[in-house]
Amino acid sequence: LITDIHHANKVEAGQRYYRQALPKLREAFRFQGRENLDRIVHLGDLVDSVREVAVEEFSIQTVAAEFKKFGKPFHFVMGNHCLSGVNKARYRALTGTAARHEFFDVGGVRILCLDACYRADSVAYEVGNFDWKDTSIPAAEVAWLERHLRRAQGPCVVLAHQLLDPVPPYCVANHAEVRAAIARSGKVIAVIQGHYHQNRYTEIDGVPYIVLRSIIEGPRISDRGSSVLSVFEDGSAALKGFSFQQSYSLRR
């Protein structure tokens, strides 16, 4: 699991060192390549916004190429910065990923990826029509989540960019509704998120809500976060953190 790469060819802003993003990603792949991985997921904000659409598209393709070279199946969760210069359909075409709400099963574990890049009025994000603080998960997607949690035969993990635990302004507007659906299922062993950039862990209704450390923060190659999630036959799980990412043991 990796999140918030924010790759862009521009000078640093605060603790965001955009030109260090790709070297940090490659270093994360170098370390995580030693693990026995089934696949890899990026939790949103692959790139950062620039003025020229052609440059932004090239940046998206450049980062996606790094995932392809890693040689494992990969998935991209949609983040708000992913849509600063292109629409959703174009982003999917450039990355070669679904980049929408989707689920896949790995070794008896159901992974559900959410797309919260919608305004509170359920209008999908398009270039120039949204404020990143105005984010929600539409009713149809909540129903989709409930349906596929109900059908799951084993433990489930939910992945999202924007937060489902209440941390304004980083959380979705209908976070309580989505959490209620997760809690009712009784199957979710972890909700793992990006967007906030810093380590964070909280439990709500017995479900761990984890925010991952971003790639972008900090000037050094070692200033990054990445992790490997392992789920075991008894339904417990472990998140193994690399560099500044914290590790957690998870048990329902």
Side-chain angles (χ1 to χ4, degrees), residues 222-251:
S222 60
D223 294 334
R224 56 177 171 76
S226 55
S227 60
V228 171
L229 178 69
S230 300
V231 182
F232 306 107
E233 290 185 0
D234 65 355
S236 64
L239 186 78
K240 179 181 179 181
F242 294 83
S243 192
F244 287 158
Q245 175 60 50
Q246 293 182 6
S247 298
Y248 304 101
S249 294
L250 308 171
R251 183 177 295 274

Side-chain angles (χ1 to χ4, degrees), residues 4-5 23 68 72 92 95 99 101 126 137 168 234 236 250:
D4 291 88
I5 297 173
K68 293 173 185 175
K72 295 287 184 179
R92 294 178 187 121
T95 61
H101 64 274
E126 295 287 345
I137 295 179
D234 65 355
S236 64
L250 308 171

Side-chain angles (χ1 to χ4, degrees), residues 43-56:
L43 297 185
D45 286 358
L46 198 72
V47 295
D48 207 86
S49 56
V50 294
R51 293 179 184 276
E52 299 86 3
V53 173
V55 174
E56 182 123 333

Side-chain angles (χ1 to χ4, degrees), residues 132-186:
W132 70 269
K133 298 175 184 177
D134 181 8
T135 171
S136 73
I137 295 179
E141 187 175 337
V142 177
W144 169 91
L145 174 65
E146 289 186 295
R147 182 167 64 253
H148 289 290
L149 285 173
R150 186 170 58 250
R151 293 174 179 174
Q153 298 300 307
C156 300
V157 176
V158 174
L159 305 178
H161 180 66
Q162 293 92 337
L163 275 56
L164 300 180
D165 48 326
V167 188
Y170 299 95
C171 55
V172 301
N174 56 333
H175 53 84
E177 176 191 12
V178 182
R179 287 199 314 275
I182 289 170
R184 280 194 299 270
S185 76

Side-chain angles (χ1 to χ4, degrees), residues 42-231:
H42 181 261
L43 297 185
D45 286 358
L46 198 72
V47 295
D48 207 86
S49 56
V50 294
R51 293 179 184 276
E52 299 86 3
V53 173
V55 174
E56 182 123 333
E57 291 192 347
F58 179 75
S59 293
I60 293 170
Q61 290 177 307
T62 298
V63 185
E66 295 293 329
F67 283 80
K68 293 173 185 175
K69 285 191 288 187
F70 190 62
K72 295 287 184 179
F74 62 92
H75 305 261
F76 288 167
V77 174
M78 190 74 79
N80 52 292
H81 275 278
C82 300
L83 301 171
S84 58
V86 298
N87 63 27
K88 290 188 177 186
R90 183 60 177 156
Y91 182 80
R92 294 178 187 121
L94 291 167
T95 61
T97 66
R100 58 166 63 91
H101 64 274
E102 61 168 334
F103 79 90
F104 50 91
D105 295 326
V106 183
V109 180
R110 175 152 294 182
I111 312 295
L112 300 107
C113 301
L114 300 181
D115 177 5
C117 288
Y118 294 86
R119 302 185 325 211
D121 59 7
S122 296
V123 173
Y125 283 11
E126 295 287 345
V127 179
N129 81 334
F130 69 91
D131 179 335
W132 70 269
K133 298 175 184 177
D134 181 8
T135 171
S136 73
I137 295 179
E141 187 175 337
V142 177
W144 169 91
L145 174 65
E146 289 186 295
R147 182 167 64 253
H148 289 290
L149 285 173
R150 186 170 58 250
R151 293 174 179 174
Q153 298 300 307
C156 300
V157 176
V158 174
L159 305 178
H161 180 66
Q162 293 92 337
L163 275 56
L164 300 180
D165 48 326
V167 188
Y170 299 95
C171 55
V172 301
N174 56 333
H175 53 84
E177 176 191 12
V178 182
R179 287 199 314 275
I182 289 170
R184 280 194 299 270
S185 76
K187 298 176 182 177
V188 177
I189 56 176
V191 176
I192 304 178
Q193 309 157 116
H195 197 42
Y196 189 65
H197 288 207
Q198 304 299 327
N199 287 290
R200 175 180 165 82
Y201 179 98
T202 187
E203 285 190 18
I204 303 175
D205 296 325
V207 179
Y209 286 78
I210 298 169
V211 178
L212 300 182
R213 165 80 181 216
S214 68
I215 285 279
I216 188 63
E217 299 281 335
R220 301 170 298 180
I221 299 301
S222 60
D223 294 334
R224 56 177 171 76
S226 55
S227 60
V228 171
L229 178 69
S230 300
V231 182

